[in-house]
Amino acid sequence: VAGAIHTSAGASLTGSAASGVVLNGLGDVSLAFSANGALLDTFLIHQTNGNVTLNSELSVESILELHQGNLIIGDNNVRLSTNAHIAGGSLNSYVVTNGTGTLSILVEAGGPGVLFPCGSSDGYFPAQVLQGNGAADAHINVRVDNGVLAEGTTGVDLTLTEPLVNHTWFVG
């Protein structure tokens, strides 16, 4: 599709393991996928002067390409399938975990570390995750929050009184 797609309020896209979405335009874009169609083979983000807001869950089968513009996921999860990978990811294009949503990638036991190109609304704060030789292959979920709360997800913000990095990574 070249140009704009105009939809009714509340409309959603339906994808499949053979579908791809390439966002190569100007400005901000919001996407929502139907519950049965929250699956893409490839998802490429190259938004000049804009970001992509995801308003639903999404699974990617082959590749998530982050070239320009952020993918803002809010409370939605983005899961890469077993054979999928991320290309790109930088200060100019990363997954913004500005809610409870996570970026989920398979990390192989004893394999190389996997870069999670994520950050908060404040900036790019990637995580590198490595599974030891004795661990099992597993999908690891990562998100980043602003601040460092005393009890992890609740409590006083310790960055107000202590010299800390001012972000918390949730890895599980």
Side-chain angles (χ1 to χ4, degrees), residues 23-122:
L23 298 172
N24 188 13
L26 296 169
D28 294 329
V29 173
S30 291
L31 290 178
F33 290 89
S34 64
N36 295 358
L39 174 67
L40 293 174
D41 181 59
T42 57
F43 189 25
L44 180 137
I45 299 174
H46 191 95
Q47 283 299 107
T48 303
N49 298 322
N51 297 308
V52 177
T53 299
L54 186 63
N55 295 313
S56 64
E57 304 285 315
L58 179 63
S59 293
V60 177
E61 289 292 306
S62 293
I63 188 165
L64 171 61
E65 291 189 28
L66 302 169
H67 294 290
Q68 190 170 0
N70 296 325
L71 176 59
I72 302 169
I73 64 173
D75 294 331
N76 301 296
N77 298 311
V78 174
R79 179 181 172 94
L80 275 62
S81 74
T82 302
N83 296 317
H85 69 280
I86 294 180
S90 68
L91 288 169
N92 297 320
S93 189
Y94 59 92
V95 178
V96 177
T97 59
N98 60 330
T100 59
T102 63
L103 175 59
S104 179
I105 305 174
L106 180 72
V107 179
E108 296 177 1
V114 174
L115 179 69
F116 286 72
C118 57
S120 71
S121 55
D122 283 351

Side-chain angles (χ1 to χ4, degrees), residues 22 32 58 168:
V22 176
L58 179 63
T168 301

